[in-house]
Amino acid sequence: MDRNRKILDTAAELFYEKGFHGTSMDELGTRAGMSGPAVYRHFAGKDEILASLFGEAMDELLAATEPVDDDPARDLERLVRFHVVFALGNRHLVNVTQREDRSLVDPWRRRVDRRRKKYVAGWESAVALYLPLSSTAEVAVATQSCLGMIFSIAYWPTKATRTPGLEDIVVRTALAGLEAFKR
């Protein structure tokens, strides 16, 4: 594993455990197998590390919002499934991006905010195609309800995340919730 990856993975764990402000560069370096000052050879500081974690998450999530299927139901199911798999496989990262949003500083905050708006717009486009009779406000509520449920996985007890067939259960639940908006 390269050093940048090790630092980012370690930071996600530490920020999850102790929070952004509760984690020191020395502790991050030690846990990543180097000195705290050595981390500065890879990143300018904790702010850049946090921004990199947000950036990686947004890269994956944004890419998944691009439509790939002409059938709105199949495309939405693909989008939901991708996000469920992402949330299950990256619980620490999802938790950190939700909880430590307030710790982002400019210029990274502005970039993340722009990308987040684009991300939500991609979701809303997919939901609007699936719910063609719904108003813009209803599409926004449906989108936020679905995303909130999926990303709440980051806060679930570990025991719950080990439920056999969990991915399919959460996908069905999310799609059923969206179905409730149909007229």
Side-chain angles (χ1 to χ4, degrees):
M1 178 181 307
D2 77 336
R3 293 280 176 142
N4 285 5
R5 177 81 268 137
K6 180 69 174 163
I7 292 167
L8 290 171
D9 290 346
T10 302
E13 290 172 14
L14 280 168
F15 295 167
Y16 173 78
E17 292 169 15
K18 301 178 128 197
F20 176 76
H21 295 293
T23 300
S24 72
M25 288 296 275
D26 285 334
E27 182 177 23
L28 176 55
T30 299
R31 180 105 52 109
M34 62 186 79
S35 69
V39 175
Y40 289 102
R41 285 188 231 134
H42 303 275
F43 295 94
K46 279 195 323 182
D47 291 327
E48 184 181 11
I49 292 169
L50 182 63
S52 295
L53 290 171
F54 272 76
E56 284 185 347
M58 288 307 301
D59 287 346
E60 282 195 59
L61 297 174
L62 265 169
T65 63
E66 293 297 321
V68 297
D69 198 312
D70 290 336
D71 179 343
R74 279 196 310 261
D75 204 46
L76 188 61
E77 181 175 350
R78 174 205 53 85
L79 183 60
V80 168
R81 185 169 300 280
F82 177 89
H83 280 70
V84 168
V85 169
F86 183 88
L88 286 169
N90 298 281
R91 287 181 64 223
H92 290 158
L93 179 59
V94 170
N95 184 293
V96 167
T97 59
Q98 290 180 343
R99 198 179 68 216
E100 296 297 343
D101 179 65
R102 67 189 184 282
S103 299
L104 273 175
V105 297
D106 284 330
W108 297 291
R109 172 175 287 292
R110 285 190 309 269
R111 180 161 196 245
V112 167
D113 286 346
R114 278 192 308 273
R115 295 181 82 205
R116 190 176 284 137
K117 286 177 185 169
K118 183 177 177 184
Y119 166 71
V120 170
W123 259 91
E124 287 178 348
S125 292
V127 171
L129 289 171
Y130 181 71
L131 302 172
L133 301 178
S134 294
S135 70
T136 302
E138 290 168 328
V139 167
V141 169
T143 298
Q144 291 303 318
S145 297
C146 187
L147 288 173
M149 193 221 33
I150 292 170
F151 288 134
S152 74
I153 290 168
Y155 298 96
W156 291 6
T158 302
K159 181 180 176 185
T161 64
R162 293 188 179 134
T163 302
L166 181 62
E167 177 187 325
D168 290 331
I169 293 167
V170 175
V171 169
R172 281 195 315 270
T173 303
L175 292 173
L178 291 168
E179 189 71 21
F181 284 89
K182 281 198 166 180
R183 296 180 193 180

